[in-house]
Amino acid sequence: MNELTQRLSAGDHPVTLGGPTPSVAELRQRIEEFAHVSVKFTGTRGGTDLGVRLDLAATDLTAADFQASAGTVHLEGTLNLNGDPVRCVADLDLATLNGTGRLVLV
């Protein structure tokens, strides 16, 4: 297992919404239209921005109010990080677009 994968799969880490122009509107669009989001692990050197294919059955938007930019979203999806298949699990606060996340080896 890659060292970065191992580090990010050991407990929860600070994350933020990734991508070039992070916003609540972009997050909503990426979830609804593409089922793909960017999650940035901010505790690594320079940050690690990961593109995550969402598992919509495991993603929970019931506590989210996108119109008011309030509440939280629970995101889950898969990706390959440095050759390691992983599942990204992240909870983001819509007011700040920050939260916690972790990787789970698949």
Side-chain angles (χ1 to χ4, degrees):
M1 176 183 347
N2 178 273
E3 182 271 330
L4 179 60
T5 304
Q6 187 173 16
R7 191 165 17 125
L8 294 179
S9 62
D12 288 334
H13 301 272
V15 297
T16 191
L17 181 62
T21 56
S23 69
V24 172
E26 181 182 329
L27 174 61
R28 184 177 193 174
Q29 179 184 25
R30 291 193 147 282
I31 293 170
E32 293 176 352
E33 293 181 23
F34 307 114
H36 190 278
V37 299
S38 292
V39 175
K40 185 173 185 175
F41 284 78
T42 59
T44 61
R45 194 174 346 158
T48 301
D49 211 343
L50 303 176
V52 179
R53 281 184 317 262
L54 292 176
D55 174 351
L56 295 178
T59 295
D60 184 3
L61 308 177
T62 57
D65 182 346
F66 288 100
Q67 295 290 79
S69 297
T72 59
V73 294
H74 175 80
L75 305 171
E76 288 195 33
T78 58
L79 65 133
N80 223 315
L81 178 60
N82 298 327
D84 296 320
V86 294
R87 181 172 201 82
C88 179
V89 179
D91 295 296
L92 294 177
D93 180 339
L94 291 179
T96 63
L97 297 177
N98 296 322
T100 59
R102 68 187 173 286
L103 297 182
V104 178
L105 203 57
V106 176

